[in-house]
Amino acid sequence: MTLEFRVQHDVATDASPVPSPPARRGLRGLLDRYAEHRAVVRTRRAEARIEELRELEQLLSGARDVIERGWIQHAWFAYLDDHGRMRKASSASAVGVQGRPLVGACLVGSVVYAAGGPAAVHSQRVQRALDLVWNALAVEEGSPVLWCPAPDVRMARVRDLTSWNDQAARTAADVSGLLLTAERVAVQESARVQEHSLARSRA
């Protein structure tokens, strides 16, 4: 015995697509095309910012991994020399750490190392990751990130992070916690960029 099921569909089979409004000509058409181009540029810029924030979040997660392997104070890195002895390197001598076994790092050093090591210290990825860490430390969580400070301001922020790391009562758990907060700041900033982009597209 064969059972046959028939399903009723309410969709009209002769429905045709809604025609799009005709393109305007002259100056109005030019303005329309310019507005469309601006919208595409804004969307691509927002997508690039969100992707960058996703990469920065991953970088900060990598910095937490570095801290969990070993955390130090009063230097950027601790490494093993050719004789297996532990040495410490400050920011001025950080290049000598490249390629050597890492034993530990401070807060700033962990971000630098997660980005590729001392050779990456001046890269935009490191600078913007440190912007996120400084915001996690100094700004109320949920506030917009203060990006692209002047060079002297950025150096002052690095000193803030270094001083915080080197305080006597500081612990590795404190440093890992700050980096985790910075990861949340990256996620919140990504959501803010996305919401702003959607609002602009609806305007």
Side-chain angles (χ1 to χ4, degrees), residues 72-180:
I72 62 171
Q73 293 179 297
H74 309 294
W76 274 28
F77 303 107
Y79 64 96
L80 298 179
D81 65 12
D82 295 337
H83 302 287
R85 293 173 297 195
M86 189 183 80
R87 303 287 187 184
K88 287 187 176 181
S90 66
S91 58
S93 58
V95 176
V97 180
Q98 197 79 34
R100 297 182 181 273
L102 189 74
V103 175
C106 72
L107 172 60
V108 174
S110 70
V111 173
V112 172
Y113 197 83
V121 68
H122 297 299
S123 68
Q124 179 170 303
R125 292 180 69 221
V126 168
Q127 302 305 316
R128 291 176 78 81
L130 290 176
D131 286 342
L132 289 169
V133 178
W134 187 87
N135 273 265
L137 175 65
V139 179
E140 183 178 356
E141 189 172 347
S143 301
V145 175
L146 305 175
W147 297 107
C148 300
D152 56 338
V153 175
R154 177 161 273 158
M155 287 301 300
R157 290 183 178 185
V158 171
R159 288 194 294 270
D160 288 345
L161 296 175
T162 301
S163 297
W164 181 87
N165 179 90
D166 292 344
Q167 289 176 5
R170 191 66 57 221
T171 66
D174 293 337
V175 178
S176 291
L178 180 62
L179 289 167
L180 184 60

